[in-house]
Amino acid sequence: MNSVRREVLKAGGGVTVMALAVSAGLLRPEEALAQAAWNKAAFETRSFADTVKALGGAAAVENPGVRFASPTPEIAENGALVPVTVTSSIPKTESIAILVEKNPNTLAANFVVPNGTEPFISTRVKMGQTSDIYALVKADGRYYYAKKEIKVTIGGCGG
Amino acid sequence: MGEPMRIRAQMAGDKVEVRVLMSHEMETGQRKDGGGNIVPAWFIQNIAVMHGGQTVLSAQWGPAVAKNPFMHFRFAGGRVGEKVSVTWTDNRGDKRTDEVAITAG
């Protein structure tokens, strides 16, 4: 079943094709949803401003309610494994994205934070070189950010 | 479908503290192998964490999330013994779900 599904995804990739695949019984609805939900355009952006647009915002403003917390480093010895923690004290925080400006593509991850979940996320990203990283928060439909430079000693995207 | 995830869901006050460590290459698609050929991108794209039929966290990831991804977050409304499940789907269509019971803090 999976090989069929992959062919379908490769061939189409569009929502219409997905819908056809669901109606043809090739995909269960929840699987189609999970696949269709991935925002390809946002993950192909190459700048902060373009990522904000691809995620549906017009512009983002810097706001002290968005913060990088420990253990986000000043200097990362290993760019392949950079811990990043973001908190938001902005009411109605809906999502928290992590962006690395000088990576080949800017957007690293976008976390959706439902009601009842603390606006806090800790994860680890790759950084190809020293760069500004952004925490981009969507709250009540508006976009806010914090920015921080992390110096990278050994890049994490080479090889 | 990948190695099992390591998940810890532990009460911390009135919240559940969740830590997840996944086993995945998270290949960027930028790297070249010994023969100079690009190693194709292979990475987790979608994550969903469920508790009691509700999504308590979901995420979309690109290949810049580090190999063997880690995430840590907290949600309210869970009790000791209730289940927390984590599901990932990668860009090859592979999928994995693992589940743990919430433990006392």
Side-chain angles (χ1 to χ4, degrees):
Chain A
M1 182 236 162
N2 267 332
S3 63
V4 172
R5 195 175 89 176
R6 261 175 241 149
E7 287 310 312
V8 170
L9 292 171
K10 221 184 287 173
V15 172
T16 317
V17 175
M18 291 284 205
L20 288 171
V22 171
S23 59
L26 294 173
L27 289 169
R28 281 175 294 169
E30 70 273 19
E31 290 184 340
L33 185 67
Q35 289 291 341
W38 194 68
N39 189 339
K40 188 168 186 285
F43 283 100
E44 286 177 346
T45 56
R46 292 169 183 273
S47 72
F48 174 73
D50 285 350
T51 308
V52 175
K53 286 193 190 113
L55 291 175
V61 292
E62 198 159 10
N63 188 298
V66 184
R67 288 196 314 115
F68 290 102
S70 172
T72 314
E74 303 293 323
I75 298 172
E77 284 181 16
N78 180 4
L81 198 73
V82 182
V84 177
T85 299
V86 178
T87 64
S88 168
S89 59
I90 300 174
K92 298 186 182 173
T93 291
E94 298 161 31
S95 66
I96 299 174
I98 298 167
L99 290 70
V100 183
E101 190 172 45
K102 288 190 182 167
N103 272 359
N105 297 112
T106 309
L107 180 60
N110 188 22
F111 294 87
V112 177
V113 181
N115 263 338
T117 295
E118 204 173 300
F120 153 87
I121 188 78
S122 186
T123 187
R124 297 169 185 156
V125 301
K126 295 171 200 152
M127 294 180 65
Q129 57 184 300
T130 296
S131 172
D132 282 338
I133 65 168
Y134 291 86
L136 177 68
V137 164
K138 183 185 184 189
D140 205 12
R142 293 170 185 274
Y143 288 82
Y144 306 92
Y145 72 89
K147 185 169 91 165
K148 175 189 176 77
E149 188 191 55
I150 298 180
K151 291 187 164 56
V152 175
T153 315
I154 304 165
C157 296
Chain B
M1 291 295 176
E3 296 290 310
M5 286 176 247
R6 284 197 280 162
I7 309 169
R8 193 168 70 183
Q10 190 173 36
M11 294 305 300
D14 60 348
K15 297 215 166 136
V16 181
E17 184 118 48
V18 183
R19 287 183 174 85
V20 186
L21 189 60
M22 300 163 211
S23 175
H24 202 285
E25 284 299 319
M26 299 300 287
E27 192 62 62
T28 59
Q30 309 278 340
R31 208 167 59 87
K32 289 180 179 167
D33 65 16
N37 304 304
I38 296 273
V39 181
W42 178 32
F43 59 97
I44 293 173
Q45 290 185 315
N46 286 283
I47 308 280
V49 185
M50 306 289 294
H51 164 259
Q54 305 280 333
T55 303
V56 291
L57 186 79
S58 64
Q60 293 186 22
W61 288 355
V65 170
K67 179 178 174 173
N68 298 331
F70 168 80
M71 61 179 192
H72 172 197
F73 70 101
R74 300 182 194 104
F75 71 90
R79 291 181 186 172
V80 172
E82 292 174 349
K83 295 285 194 333
V84 173
S85 76
V86 183
T87 300
W88 59 249
T89 311
D90 72 19
N91 68 321
R92 294 180 179 173
D94 279 343
K95 185 173 178 172
R96 178 165 189 106
T97 300
D98 289 290
E99 185 179 76
V100 293
I102 298 169
T103 58

